[in-house]
């Protein structure tokens, strides 16, 4: 399935989700309701969930029960993540299932999780093929242009909605200042557009009219849980994850093994991303019982690891970990024991380690904090780019493909097979790849 087809599915399922939410909301309130974060006719959470299921659960297509469970977990994780993210935007819940039985955190509940499982299984096994076939009936350039135009409209809608939510968080004085800026930037069009979106949101979600809590700035570096704090959590998590995995492999296997995700430096991107997401999503829940944090960490950690496994295999053609020999595994990508480890790690992190590291980060002098942060950001971006190119070339070499571009020759010179095998000793070739033989012998 191509990228343009995945984008097509994103649009279609977002629209179908909007239709479903609109019908249900209209029946319940007995008046037309335009649901969702965006003003346009789409609910992105449905489209995103459907595409993630499509990309990550293809190898479970022939196993009905496993597919159902996988769709249920991924759909529930996307819904919970979206709810927590929107709450961070406005300090309020955009939906609340607290009055339903078997709910968790008010954002997810058993009946909707089961619905995610049913809908997801139907999507992966049946509707995707039909929708892709329908898209292929459209003349190539027309279909591609239509998808890109609709995506641009969706992006503009999301920008307007985000700006509106940001605007609604300000007090009266700050709102007036923001109005002046928007008027200058967009010649009053932005004000008109945000006003329309604001009215629509307040009608659909009356709770958003309440004034959000305003954070008082004290000049402290990385105060609260903003961009700079989250970056440092990612950086610390990446280094700690690489360290603990290296030590674990030494104890369990008897030898030292590189566990880094990048060609330069001891960084585990999976752990860094997990720590950053755990901080962002559980920051406001850090005072809740340990069992709450453990359950969230177990479910979301398993879903996160599964998605990372599939995406890394799709992009780089390599399998970086395989749990097929461990009981209660799912496709060799995750297993129940390590999901419990994610839950324990979430508790340890958010309850004990996060307050400690957060305090240390906030003690960094503001000016030096900003300078060091951006130096690290630039370094990691370059490191990720080079690592990605090295892995792509590593995969192509294994399939007997000669270098055609200057960057491929550079990767062959600086990151040959011996070096790549040392950096990524567990990266094995996807069994679905063709045999590594010279092109002339194929």
């Amino acid at each position: 399935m191509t990228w343009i087809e995945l984008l097509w599915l994103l649009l279609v399922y977002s629209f179908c989700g909007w239709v479903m939410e609109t019908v249900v909301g209209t029946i319940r309130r007995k008046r037309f309701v335009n649901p969702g974060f965006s003003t346009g006719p789409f609910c992105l959470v449905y489209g995103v969930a459907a595409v993630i299921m499509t990309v990550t659960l293809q190898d479970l297509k022939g196993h009905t029960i496993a597919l159902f469970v996988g769709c249920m977990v991924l759909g529930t994780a996307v819904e919970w993540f979206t709810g927590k993210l929107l709450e961070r935007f406005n300090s309020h819940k955009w939906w609340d299932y607290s009055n339903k039985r078997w709910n968790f955190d008010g954002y997810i509940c058993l009946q909707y999780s089961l619905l995610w499982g049913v809908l997801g299984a139907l999507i992966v096994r049946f509707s995707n093929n039909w929708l892709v076939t329908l898209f292929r009936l459209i003349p190539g350039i027309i279909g591609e242009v239509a998808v890109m135009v609709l995506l641009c409209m969706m992006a503009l809608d999301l920008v307007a909605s985000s700006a509106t939510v940001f605007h609604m968080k300000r007090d009266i004085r700050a709102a007036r200042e923001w109005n002046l800026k928007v008027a200058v930037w967009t010649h009053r069009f932005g004000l008109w557009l945000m006003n329309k979106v604001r009215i629509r949101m307040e009608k659909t979600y009356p709770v958003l009219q309440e004034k959000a809590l305003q954070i008082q700035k004290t000049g402290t570096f990385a105060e609260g849980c903003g961009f700079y704090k989250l970056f440092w959590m990612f950086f610390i998590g990446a280094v700690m994850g690489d360290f603990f995995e290296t030590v674990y492999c030494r104890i369990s296997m008897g030898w030292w093994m590189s566990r880094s995700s990048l060609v330069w430096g001891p960084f585990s991107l999976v752990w860094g991303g997990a720590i950053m997401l755990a901080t962002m999503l559980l920051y406001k829940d850090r005072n809740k019982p340990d069992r709450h944090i453990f359950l969230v960490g177990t479910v979301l950690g398993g879903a996160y690891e599964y998605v990372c496994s599939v995406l890394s295999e799709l992009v780089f053609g390599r399998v970086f970990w395989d749990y097929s020999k461990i009981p209660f595994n799912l496709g060799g990508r995750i297993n129940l024991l390590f999901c419990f480890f994610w839950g324990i790690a979430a508790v340890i992190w958010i309850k004990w380690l996060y307050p400690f590291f957060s305090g240390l980060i906030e003690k960094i002098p503001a000016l030096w904090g900003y300078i060091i942060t951006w130096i690290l950001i630039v370094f990691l971006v370059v490191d990720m780019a080079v690592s990605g190119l090295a892995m792509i070339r590593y995969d192509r070499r294994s399939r007997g493909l000669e270098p055609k571009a200057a960057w491929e020759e550079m990767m062959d010179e600086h990151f040959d097979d011996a070096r790549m095998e040392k950096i990524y000793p567990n990266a094995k070739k996807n069994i679905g790849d063709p045999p590594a033989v010279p092109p002339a012998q194929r």
Side-chain angles (χ1 to χ4, degrees):
M1 191 174 296
T2 64
W3 286 105
I4 197 69
E5 290 169 347
L6 287 175
L7 294 175
W8 160 256
L9 294 179
L10 174 72
L11 291 169
V12 171
Y13 288 125
S14 295
F15 174 73
C16 291
W18 176 85
V19 171
M20 183 172 64
E21 291 278 355
T22 300
V23 171
V24 174
T26 300
I27 292 175
R28 286 179 177 175
R29 301 190 184 186
K30 298 182 180 179
R31 62 179 177 84
F32 177 77
V33 174
N34 182 8
F37 179 75
S38 304
T39 302
F42 60 89
C43 285
L44 195 57
V45 62
Y46 290 94
V48 170
V51 169
I52 291 176
M53 292 174 187
T54 299
V55 172
T56 61
L57 299 179
Q58 287 299 316
D59 51 354
L60 301 181
K61 199 171 181 179
H63 306 279
T64 304
I65 301 299
L67 178 62
F68 170 80
V69 173
C71 290
M72 182 176 68
V73 171
L74 287 181
T76 301
V78 170
E79 184 178 22
W80 189 83
F81 175 83
T82 303
K84 299 293 285 187
L85 188 63
L86 290 176
E87 183 182 355
R88 284 186 61 83
F89 270 21
N90 197 261
S91 301
H92 289 292
K93 288 187 175 181
W94 288 62
W95 64 85
D96 193 352
Y97 300 147
S98 298
N99 60 340
K100 297 183 180 296
R101 295 187 64 185
W102 308 107
N103 79 86
F104 182 80
D105 209 22
Y107 282 120
I108 57 176
C109 63
L110 180 60
Q111 65 187 81
Y112 288 131
S113 294
L114 294 175
L115 182 61
W116 276 115
V118 173
L119 293 178
L122 292 175
I123 285 171
V124 175
R125 294 195 65 175
F126 303 109
S127 66
N128 280 345
N129 293 335
W130 183 83
L131 289 173
V132 170
T133 300
L134 180 64
F135 178 75
R136 290 173 181 172
L137 294 177
I138 305 173
I141 189 64
I142 296 177
E144 293 179 7
V145 170
V147 168
M148 297 312 298
V149 169
L150 290 173
L151 281 174
C152 288
M153 293 173 62
M154 179 188 290
L156 290 174
D157 194 349
L158 289 173
V159 169
S161 299
S162 300
T164 302
V165 173
F166 179 74
H167 170 79
M168 292 166 67
K169 292 175 62 178
R170 303 289 181 168
D171 59 17
I172 296 176
R173 179 179 176 183
R176 286 175 179 169
E177 294 175 356
W178 177 250
N179 285 345
L180 290 174
K181 292 179 181 179
V182 174
V184 171
W185 292 340
T186 64
H187 304 285
R188 298 185 182 277
F189 175 73
L191 286 175
W192 174 83
L193 181 60
M194 287 204 302
N195 187 56
K196 294 293 184 182
V197 177
R198 178 183 60 79
I199 293 173
R200 196 275 303 178
M201 285 183 173
E202 290 178 350
K203 286 182 178 179
T204 306
Y205 305 99
V207 71
L208 297 182
Q209 298 181 48
E210 300 179 16
K211 186 173 183 280
L213 297 176
Q214 190 163 354
I215 299 175
Q216 300 295 325
K217 299 296 181 181
T218 62
T220 302
F221 173 69
E223 183 182 21
C225 192
F227 170 79
Y228 290 97
K229 180 65 67 63
L230 290 175
F231 169 78
W232 278 94
M233 293 300 117
F234 171 84
F235 184 84
I236 293 170
V239 174
M240 287 178 55
D242 180 85
F243 172 77
F244 284 123
E245 285 208 13
T246 301
V247 173
Y248 174 79
C249 289
R250 178 66 178 86
I251 295 174
S252 62
M253 300 180 183
W255 66 83
W256 296 105
M257 177 190 300
S258 170
R259 301 300 298 164
S260 178
S261 304
L262 304 178
V263 294
W264 297 321
F267 304 110
S268 172
L269 297 186
V270 173
W271 276 97
I275 291 299
M276 182 182 69
L277 288 174
T279 302
M280 182 173 64
L281 296 176
L282 296 175
Y283 172 72
K284 291 186 176 181
D285 296 342
R286 59 190 183 280
N287 295 324
K288 290 188 176 181
D290 291 353
R291 62 180 180 276
H292 173 99
I293 307 297
F294 173 78
L295 182 58
V296 172
T298 298
V299 175
L300 293 187
Y304 172 76
E305 186 175 18
Y306 190 96
V307 171
C308 287
S309 172
V310 173
L311 292 181
S312 61
E313 183 177 336
L314 289 175
V315 174
F316 302 117
R318 296 273 164 173
V319 177
F320 289 88
W321 60 85
D322 186 0
Y323 304 140
S324 300
K325 296 181 180 179
I326 300 178
F328 305 107
N329 74 85
L330 184 60
R333 303 186 187 280
I334 60 174
N335 67 83
L336 186 60
L337 177 61
F338 285 2
C339 286
F340 288 156
F341 284 170
W342 282 113
I344 295 171
V347 174
I348 294 175
W349 173 257
I350 209 67
K351 291 287 189 177
W352 301 335
L353 296 181
Y354 171 78
F356 171 75
F357 285 115
S358 178
L360 289 181
I361 292 169
E362 292 180 1
K363 290 180 180 179
I364 300 175
L367 178 60
W368 281 105
Y370 295 129
I371 294 174
I372 295 172
T373 298
W374 283 103
I375 290 175
L376 290 175
I377 288 175
V378 172
F379 170 74
L380 285 177
V381 168
V382 173
D383 199 357
M384 291 178 191
V386 173
S387 300
L389 294 176
M391 281 301 306
I392 292 173
R393 184 58 198 145
Y394 183 34
D395 176 60
R396 291 181 180 179
R397 282 200 304 268
S398 70
R399 292 185 280 127
L401 301 178
E402 297 296 329
K404 296 181 180 180
W407 71 267
E408 292 181 308
E409 294 177 355
M410 185 179 299
M411 293 301 109
D412 287 352
E413 179 181 355
H414 296 283
F415 299 99
D416 56 18
D417 288 351
R419 183 172 181 183
M420 294 298 288
E421 288 170 3
K422 184 177 180 180
I423 299 174
Y424 305 108
N426 269 4
K428 63 181 182 180
K429 201 177 166 190
N430 188 336
I431 58 175
D433 288 345
V437 297
Q441 298 179 18
R442 295 181 184 175

